Every structure is written in structure tokens, then in C-alpha cells.
Amino acid sequence: MRQFAALLVFTLLNSSLFAQAPQSWTSAEMYLALRKLNVLGSVLYVAAHPDDENTRLITYLSKDKMYRTGYLSLTRGDGGQNLIGDEQGIELGLIRTQELLSARRIDGGEQFFTRAYDFGFSKNPEETFTKWDREKILSDVVWVIRKFQPDVIVTRFPTTGEGGHGHHTASAILANEAFAAAADPNRFPEQLQYVTVWQTKRVMWNTFNFGGTNTQREDQLKIDVGGYNPLLGKSYGEIAAESRSQHKSQGFGVPATRGESLEYFKATKGDQPAAELLEGVDISWKRIPGGESISSSIDSLTASFDLLHPEKSVEGLVKLYRRINALRDFTWKGQKLGEVYRLIMQCSGLFIDATTTEQFAVQTDSIRINFALNNRLGTNSELQSIKLDEFDTTLNRALEKNKNFNLSKTLYVPADKPITQPYWLAQKMEEGYFNVKEQQSIGKPDVDPAYRAMIRLSIYGEPFYYTPPVRYKFTDPVRGELYQPLTVISPALISPDEKIKISKGNNHFNGILNITGKKKGFQTKLDGVGKELNDQVKVEYNPATLTFSEKNKTIPVEYIIQAGMDNVYHFGMDANNGRKDMLTVGMKEIKYDHIPYITYFAAANVTNKKLDLVTYGKKIGYITGAGDKVPEALEQMGFDVTLLSDKELSRNNLQQFDAIITGVRAYNTHDWMNRHYDKLMKYVNEGGNLIVQYNTSNQIGPVRAKIAPYDFNITRTRVTDENASVNILKPEHPVFNFPNKINQDDFKGWIQERSIYHGSDTTGKFEKLIGMADPGEKSDDGSLLVARYGKGWFTYTGIVFFRELPAGVPGAYRLLANIIALNKKKGF
């Protein structure tokens, strides 16, 4: 049991670090960690989304007060906007998950999630709970509390709505409900086979003053979190700014701050403290029976710590580890054993690495793993054994000072080795939450590593297990040595050229399947489009049988499908592994420099929808903004799309385009749009058609981003109910008549929301064509503004074409086709 505890604890400590290089602390960080051993206090911060957290407070709590500090984000931020690319939905959630983990590595917090899905902006918690399944998400909050066992919970938002977003308010409601539920054995009793009930001391609301709302009062608890840490050489405001700036997909880079910074708190459950968040909580070893002597040992180790020779503390730390392990089980035992264990590894200077030169471990193929160890400071240590899956070797050799030990082993990757899929994406999700059946996976921030080694060491005679994840290591000529996750994949992958196929008039369509063989000497055959459809459709593949003579070879396969109705087609091929398995997945990679590589798998499905769609015009110029998939949808409609950057706008004759469309947030993203204002207005004046998709209301001004021929304001008005009633204000307008007749049926089947960041006409020059609002609100007419300018047309729209088109919503295609055709309708 003693050895098992060491294995378990250190595995948990490293669960969110597997994409990073092996950690090496400075002596200052070791000293701070030694001092933290004497602090047994914990705080859990709770909010709704990535970037909701107060990074300055988390930094202060973890690095000044030395509390164990966690952040529970109820969602992964899937429904936000993306400033750095075109990923939306679950892909954006994957990016923001890694941004949160990057932030926590800087500010010292731990990260947790519930199963809630960020379905987009919600105006009240009642709407939020219709999609989240209130009881299910409450159970997740209770689960995290029972596992983390915080002394105090801090919420970012109140239960009364001042946080603005329905998700924000819902997060506070659930945190306050969980205060009692986590301590009640009758609530979610199925969890109690893994955890115990837990009573938190109090729930504190971290009041705020932003967005025009000031909820801070002088009678609230007030704490200065703006201190300076000389051991780290930074103020907590400087560290917090670096942490918050990891939210790059949201454009949340912030300046560093120094000096006094006050945070305010109000109790919503439990008593109101006068001076400290953890007032009334014993955060010393006195809270543990027999713990006072442990505190004295830690004081002694701290006092004798040698910054130049941290290895001198290792023997004392090993003795401390034994003493803590000998105590009866208690709430903090596993956490403190882990902290001591990590200190032993860092103070000893041991370097332990398990890597491969391959990014992927391919089922039914082999992979070579390299183990490297170095006892850099000469600590009394012995390498006893290394184990990884079926590989198990006994070594029993002393690790000499600063001498490299290397061992390599080639392993077979069996067909039943699971692919490395984020656990929350393993099952089909519901509208408002992910389906996660395994209780102990709930709350975990990240996917488990594909492989973990188990390295048994003896340090001053005490056995320890170190369980490093196997990582892909390579050298980039610009960035140097890099570590990335190792991913298990299938022998071949299917990648359809498009996930949505729009066909006009019938359900006959064609496309390309890019089949990539991830190992050589592999043959496969494409097999139908799903058993339930094989007798209803005609499918042709060219070629149908594929042979991969070399690794990573991609073979394009043309497919032709003829059917009589809309369908979802499931492509598959023989796994050729003797078990009649089918390979049915494609792989998606997301790569940005500020986060680890992201890989996930999705079924190789293609959805075909027959549209009653007529288009006019042929050539579209598209000015990319923050990132969206509208150009691909335009191509599906039959348009030739030219992407226009700063250079292309300067060089091209714009009159060749039937319409020019700006991508979402183009005027927020590109300062150079101002340089082309006159040219774009000349294009419109001479008969062109400029269509501007939404921009945000911040960072917009007449100097920074002049958009239209006439002045208008961009507001924060939005319609979040995707089924909200739509009032066509001018039924006779060509937007609703040419070349497609638009009616109420065209507004059915929309997803997530109707519109965002409406315009407001300040000159009377614009026509307001649509009125709509969320239930119970006054109708707003700013989602679609059009204006004649000279011989041409200008349109500003907050309608979320960037969401609806990739989802294959028919009415969105038809409405956009009509806006594009505005300058083709004669006599209006």
C-alpha cells in the first residue's frame, strides 16, 4: 500500500503536464515548495468558462498564501468566438482547455471541468438549465468538491444575475447548492464508493467592478492581492497577466500590473469573515492527529535548505515522506505525500524522460521508446526497474552522478490499444452536455496519456515509482527541442473533403475521401456507407481497394452517391487485422505554438442536404477575419471564392467580384482594413455589393475601423434563442424575394443562436429588414441592415451565418444567396 500511494499520487500530480518537457525547478521554487508543505488550506474558485477566472487571485492564493488552489470551469468554452482560427464548437473547447492548462501552469492553480457544454450566450440561468440538465451538472460540481475538498469556495459571479451571462449566474447557483449537497450523504450517493462527503466552511462571492456594474462595497472582506514575491522576482499582478494572456483564442492578452490590488468578497454560504478567506480554518498540521511533529520537521528542512546544494535536503525529505506515510489516513495525506515526492525528485536533480521520435503509435504497428535518466546532483539513488505495457525489465543499478543512462525498446501496438481520444468526446454528446459514463473521469481536465512508463527507483533506501508519460520529442530548427503528446491512432484514417454536401434539386453528389495509411504494407477496401443505407443508395468508389506501400501515404478516393433523400453517410473500410473490424474515423489535428498539439477523432461521416437554392453571380471576394468556414460554404453554393488579404486588396481590381464579404470580426482583427476603406466604398458606389459580417462593439471606432458609407453603431444586442420568432419587416424587399423566396420555413432548424452584435442606424440611411428578440424582450431591428450607395449595396449583418452554414442550415444558405444577389436585381 505504501508503494501504491507513491505511484498514485505522483501520477495525479503529472496528469496535466504530459505535453511538457520534464520540469526542473529553481532552488527558489524548491524553497517555496518546502514552505508550502506546512500549509494545509485549500480554495476552489468556480465560474462558467475559460477566462472567467480571476488569475490574480488564484496566483495570490497559490503563491503567497500557499493554499492548494483550484479552478472549476463548468464548461470548456466551446460556444465562444475564436480570434486565432476557424475552429468552433468542440474544437474551440479543445483549444480553450489547453489554454486554461497553460494558464494554471503559470499561476499555480489546478484545473477541473464539469460535463456542461458551452452552447453559446444565454441571457438567464433558466434558459441555461433547460440545456445543461441541472441535476447532472450539479452532481459534477459536488463530485469535484468531494474530491478536491476545499476549505472555502469562491464564485466569480453572484446568483442574482449581475454577471450578465446565464452561464455565469448558473455557475454561482450550482456552487451554492453544492455547498450543502456535497456534505449530504443522500445526495449523489453513487459517488461515495470513491469519495467521502465534504463540508466546506463557506462560499464567498468575489465581487467585481467591471462592465459598468460595481458590486463592491466597503463592508465586504477586502484583500490586497498585488504583492511582490522576491523569490520569484515578480509581482502577483505580473504573473497573473502572463497567465491570463494564455487565453489567446479570446484575444485576452493583458498588461502586467504592479502595486496594490484589492479584491472584495461577500459570503453567500456560511459566515462572513473579517480578515481572511480561510478565517476559522486551521491550516496547520494541528488539524491532523499526530501532525505537530511533522510541522517541526518541515521547519527544520526549510531552515537548513541550501540553495546551492538542494540535494542535501533529499535524505531529510525521504524521512519526512516515511513519517507522513506512517500516519493514519487523513484528508491531506495524499496531497502532502505528493508534494514531498515532487520535492524529492526536484531537489535530487534527477532527470527522467520517456520519449519517442514518432508522433503517432499506430495500432498493429510498432513504436520505439527511449528512456533516459541522469542523476545530475549525485543523490543516493538506484534504478531498480522499468515497465511499460508488456515490457518489464529489472536493472538494479546505481545511478552515477551526472552520467546518462539510456535504454530503448521497440513495442508492438496491439489492435485493441485504444486510440487517444479526449474522454468527453468518446460518446455522442447531448445538446447541453457531454456524455461521460466513467465517474472517475468526470472533472479531469485533459485526455490521459497514451502510454505511461513505470520507473521504480530507490532513493536513500525508500522505493518510489515515477510514472512519466511517453512523449513525442523532436527538434524544431526555430523553436529548438520540443515535447508533444504521443497519440495512438488506427492504421488508416478517412478524411472527407467536406462534412456537409449541399446538392441542388436532388440528392446526387460526389466528393473525395482522402485515405491515409499510417503504416506500410497495409491493404484495405472501402465498404459501403453504413449498413442501414447500403440498400437505399448507389455508391461508387474509385479506387475501391487501396494498398499502402509506404507509411503516411494519402490516396484520394472519388465517391459518387445517388440517393432519394437527405442522409448522413458513414464511410468505413476493412481494418485488415483478422478481426473483421472496421476503420471508421478521421483524425483532426489542431496546432498552435502556445499550446500542445491537439488530436481528436471523429466518425468519417458526410451529411447531404438537398436545397431549393438559386444563386446569381459567380465570383466572391472574401476578406478573412478572426476565422470561420463561410468560404467553404460559398464554394458549396457554386461560387468561385478568392481570399483577399491586405496585399490582394491592394492589387486586385475589385469590380471583378459580384460580391465582397468580410469574415467575422475582420474590422476587429485587421488594422489594415482602414487603408482599403476608400477602395471598398468606390467598389460599392460603382455597383458592387459589400457584405460585412458581425464585429464586436469594443475596439471599433471611426478612426480605427471605418466600415460603412454611412455611420452606424455596433451594439451588444444579440438573439440567443435559435428558435426565436423572426419578423420580416419588408416582405417586398429583394433580400426576401430574389432569387429565392424567403419565408418562415427558412428560419427553422437553426443552431445555437440567431444573431449577435446588431447594428444601430444613426443616420436613417439603412433599411432594417428583420425584427427579432429573445422571449420576453423587445424586438430589435439591427440584425440585418442594408443601404444603397451609388449604384451598389452595403450590408451589415449580425446573423450568425458563420455557425449556420457549416451546420448545413438550408435557410441560411438561401438568405445569404439573396444578399449576395442584391446588386443583380434590376429595378429596385
Side-chain angles (χ1 to χ4, degrees):
M1 287 298 295
R2 179 177 64 181
Q3 295 168 0
F4 174 74
L7 167 64
L8 175 64
V9 168
F10 207 59
T11 296
L12 291 175
L13 283 171
N14 281 272
S15 62
S16 64
L17 302 175
F18 71 88
Q20 307 302 307
Q23 284 193 312
S24 292
W25 294 355
T26 65
S27 288
E29 290 169 320
M30 297 175 200
Y31 179 72
L32 286 171
L34 274 169
R35 293 181 58 206
K36 187 171 183 172
L37 291 178
N38 255 338
V39 180
L40 282 72
S42 57
V43 176
L44 181 65
Y45 202 87
V46 180
H49 309 108
D51 73 39
D52 284 345
E53 78 275 22
N54 185 335
T55 54
R56 189 162 45 222
L57 178 62
I58 290 174
T59 302
Y60 167 79
L61 293 174
S62 69
K63 296 185 180 296
D64 187 275
K65 304 301 290 184
M66 298 186 185
Y67 300 150
R68 185 187 181 198
T69 307
Y71 174 45
L72 172 58
S73 175
L74 268 60
T75 76
R76 295 176 183 268
D78 324 79
Q81 282 97 46
N82 185 358
L83 192 66
I84 61 175
D86 62 7
E87 296 86 2
Q88 297 174 22
I90 61 170
E91 291 185 356
L92 180 57
L94 289 164
I95 291 171
R96 297 185 73 184
T97 293
Q98 293 303 326
E99 289 178 338
L100 268 182
L101 291 173
S102 293
R104 296 296 82 80
R105 285 190 284 270
I106 293 167
D107 61 33
E110 300 174 45
Q111 186 60 52
F112 306 97
F113 295 97
T114 74
R115 288 172 285 184
Y117 177 70
D118 178 1
F119 56 83
F121 190 84
S122 173
K123 293 185 176 178
N124 56 67
E126 291 76 22
E127 179 194 11
T128 298
F129 288 133
T130 64
K131 298 185 179 183
W132 273 5
D133 187 332
R134 181 172 182 158
E135 192 74 356
K136 186 182 295 290
I137 306 308
L138 174 61
S139 76
D140 292 357
V141 179
V142 168
W143 168 255
V144 172
I145 291 171
R146 286 172 172 174
K147 286 194 71 177
F148 187 79
Q149 299 183 328
D151 294 310
V152 169
I153 295 170
V154 178
T155 65
R156 169 77 283 186
F157 303 105
T159 61
T160 46
E162 292 91 336
H165 196 314
H167 296 180
H168 293 169
T169 306
S171 71
I173 290 171
L174 293 176
N176 280 271
E177 288 181 357
F179 173 79
D184 185 350
N186 296 314
R187 296 290 275 143
F188 314 111
E190 69 280 1
Q191 298 177 2
L192 299 181
Q193 61 181 307
Y194 308 109
V195 293
T196 62
V197 294
W198 181 255
Q199 181 60 70
T200 299
K201 178 73 172 176
R202 61 178 65 93
V203 179
M204 302 293 289
W205 167 31
N206 181 196
T207 59
F208 52 81
N209 181 8
F210 55 73
T213 301
N214 185 4
T215 62
Q216 297 173 345
R217 303 288 183 270
E218 286 305 313
D219 61 350
Q220 298 169 356
L221 171 65
K222 185 166 54 177
I223 299 174
D224 179 10
V225 301
Y228 174 78
N229 191 318
L231 288 169
L232 299 176
K234 295 179 181 179
S235 72
Y236 300 124
E238 290 171 311
I239 297 170
E242 185 181 353
S243 171
R244 187 157 185 79
S245 296
Q246 299 308 301
H247 296 296
K248 299 183 190 304
S249 67
Q250 305 306 294
F252 274 3
V254 296
T257 61
R258 298 157 194 88
E260 181 183 66
S261 179
L262 299 178
E263 293 290 341
Y264 293 75
F265 304 88
K266 177 181 178 180
T268 56
K269 294 289 181 183
D271 61 329
Q272 174 74 24
E276 294 282 350
L277 280 175
L278 269 60
E279 196 168 280
V281 177
D282 188 349
I283 62 171
S284 74
W285 279 93
K286 293 179 181 178
R287 71 189 296 179
I288 308 302
E292 290 189 51
S293 62
I294 299 294
S295 179
S296 299
S297 297
I298 294 170
D299 287 339
S300 177
L301 281 166
T302 304
S304 62
F305 182 72
D306 188 337
L307 290 164
L308 294 178
H309 294 283
E311 73 276 11
K312 293 179 179 179
S313 296
V314 173
E315 186 173 10
L317 285 166
V318 171
K319 292 177 180 177
L320 177 64
Y321 181 89
R322 290 174 181 147
R323 292 186 61 195
I324 295 174
N325 207 18
L327 294 173
R328 296 179 60 185
D329 287 344
F330 58 94
T331 296
W332 280 87
K333 184 173 182 178
Q335 177 67 23
K336 289 304 173 182
L337 281 174
E339 291 178 20
V340 176
Y341 191 97
R342 183 179 291 188
L343 266 166
I344 291 170
M345 302 302 294
Q346 293 297 329
C347 290
S348 68
L350 282 168
F351 175 87
I352 303 176
D353 212 5
T355 63
T356 177
T357 58
E358 300 285 341
Q359 185 180 354
F360 303 111
V362 182
Q363 293 169 337
T364 70
D365 203 355
S366 59
I367 186 167
R368 190 166 183 81
I369 310 296
N370 305 306
F371 303 95
L373 291 87
N374 188 304
N375 184 9
R376 291 174 291 190
L377 294 177
T379 301
N380 182 349
S381 57
E382 179 182 87
L383 172 60
Q384 296 183 327
S385 64
I386 298 176
K387 186 178 188 303
L388 179 62
D389 281 13
E390 299 304 314
F391 171 62
D392 191 353
T393 182
T394 300
L395 296 160
N396 292 329
R397 59 176 292 162
L399 292 174
E400 298 179 57
K401 182 177 181 179
N402 208 26
K403 299 287 187 180
N404 291 323
F405 171 81
N406 297 288
L407 177 68
S408 297
K409 180 65 179 179
T410 300
L411 301 178
Y412 177 72
V413 184
D416 59 358
K417 178 77 173 177
I419 61 173
T420 312
Q421 176 78 322
Y423 71 88
W424 60 97
L425 301 181
Q427 305 293 325
K428 183 179 179 181
M429 65 176 292
E430 304 298 332
E431 181 183 16
Y433 59 89
F434 297 104
N435 274 313
V436 180
K437 304 302 183 185
E438 173 56 48
Q439 179 65 53
Q440 297 205 70
S441 291
I442 294 170
K444 289 167 56 176
D446 205 357
V447 60
D448 286 331
Y451 287 91
R452 275 195 184 276
M454 185 182 295
I455 298 175
R456 179 183 167 110
L457 301 165
S458 174
I459 302 176
Y460 283 99
E462 181 73 13
F464 291 100
Y465 287 87
Y466 184 68
T467 58
V470 179
R471 291 164 287 203
Y472 164 47
K473 185 172 77 169
F474 64 102
T475 302
D476 180 274
V478 175
R479 300 170 64 199
E481 183 178 82
L482 297 175
Y483 288 77
Q484 294 293 348
L486 170 65
T487 301
V488 176
I489 63 174
S490 59
L493 300 166
I494 309 174
S495 178
D497 58 342
E498 293 164 321
K499 300 288 283 186
I500 299 285
K501 288 289 186 179
I502 301 302
S503 53
K504 300 179 184 179
N506 57 45
N507 293 103
H508 298 182
F509 66 100
N510 64 287
I512 299 293
L513 300 176
N514 290 301
I515 314 296
T516 302
K518 302 305 290 186
K519 70 173 190 175
K520 62 182 180 180
F522 178 72
Q523 188 175 74
T524 186
K525 181 178 180 181
L526 286 153
D527 182 41
V529 286
K531 293 180 180 179
E532 71 279 8
L533 294 177
N534 281 345
D535 297 331
Q536 304 174 30
V537 300
K538 181 180 179 181
V539 185
E540 296 180 19
Y541 295 110
N542 182 27
T545 301
L546 311 174
T547 299
F548 297 95
S549 56
E550 57 187 88
K551 194 172 183 177
N552 293 320
K553 181 180 180 181
T554 298
I555 300 175
V557 175
E558 182 181 6
Y559 70 88
I560 302 173
I561 292 179
Q562 298 180 35
M565 64 184 70
D566 291 355
N567 282 313
V568 178
Y569 297 93
H570 310 278
F571 294 100
M573 54 190 171
D574 182 7
N576 196 18
N577 61 8
R579 305 189 327 167
K580 297 185 178 180
D581 291 342
M582 292 293 295
L583 302 177
T584 60
V585 298
M587 182 178 72
K588 173 69 175 180
E589 291 185 88
I590 303 172
K591 294 182 178 180
Y592 291 102
D593 286 350
H594 69 294
I595 54 176
Y597 292 170
I598 297 169
T599 304
Y600 79 99
F601 300 87
N605 296 343
V606 171
T607 299
N608 170 235
K609 292 191 177 183
K610 179 181 69 176
L611 297 190
D612 178 15
L613 177 68
V614 181
T615 59
Y616 266 71
K618 188 65 176 174
K619 298 191 68 175
I620 302 290
Y622 198 88
I623 303 171
T624 57
D628 58 64
K629 294 182 171 66
V630 172
E632 292 89 334
L634 291 167
E635 290 176 340
Q636 289 250 26
M637 295 166 72
F639 293 108
D640 293 333
V641 180
T642 300
L643 299 181
L644 301 176
S645 67
D646 185 15
K647 288 183 179 179
E648 281 72 35
L649 275 172
S650 298
R651 297 171 179 174
N652 271 279
N653 173 17
L654 301 186
Q655 299 307 132
Q656 65 180 297
F657 298 113
D658 296 294
I660 294 175
I661 303 175
T662 67
V664 299
R665 296 168 74 174
Y667 289 87
N668 296 132
T669 306
H670 304 309
D671 287 336
W672 46 258
M673 288 296 293
N674 279 322
R675 294 200 295 272
H676 304 292
Y677 172 77
D678 291 338
K679 186 172 184 177
L680 286 169
M681 292 304 104
K682 183 175 184 291
Y683 161 75
V684 176
N685 188 57
E686 294 179 355
N689 185 7
L690 177 61
I691 302 164
V692 174
Q693 295 183 84
Y694 91 91
N695 288 268
T696 56
S697 58
N698 56 344
Q699 301 180 6
I700 293 285
V703 175
R704 174 177 168 80
K706 195 171 182 182
I707 296 174
Y710 313 112
D711 289 341
F712 75 102
N713 293 329
I714 296 175
T715 73
R716 298 187 67 83
T717 302
R718 61 201 303 165
V719 178
T720 63
D721 184 348
E722 65 271 29
N723 299 310
S725 296
V726 175
N727 184 15
I728 296 176
L729 301 177
K730 294 188 175 183
E732 75 284 357
H733 198 280
V735 161
F736 306 115
N737 293 280
F738 180 80
N740 303 285
K741 183 68 176 178
I742 302 298
N743 55 47
Q744 289 298 324
D745 287 342
D746 289 296
F747 296 99
K748 294 178 180 178
W750 287 50
I751 66 164
Q752 187 164 323
E753 57 196 344
R754 290 282 195 203
S755 58
I756 52 180
Y757 296 102
H758 290 193
S760 175
D761 181 12
T762 60
T763 60
K765 298 286 190 179
F766 293 91
E767 296 180 275
K768 297 87 167 173
L769 302 184
I770 288 178
M772 55 183 172
D774 283 317
E777 296 186 357
K778 182 181 177 182
S779 181
D780 186 87
D781 58 11
S783 65
L784 183 59
L785 303 180
V786 300
R788 292 299 302 263
Y789 181 63
K791 298 178 181 178
W793 289 85
F794 173 86
T795 297
Y796 175 82
T797 181
I799 294 172
V800 289
F801 290 111
F802 73 99
R803 295 200 195 280
E804 309 307 321
L805 297 178
V809 175
Y813 280 88
R814 287 163 47 83
L815 181 59
L816 182 58
N818 283 14
I819 298 172
I820 290 171
L822 269 175
N823 60 345
K824 303 300 179 183
K825 178 66 174 175
K826 306 303 181 184
F828 185 86

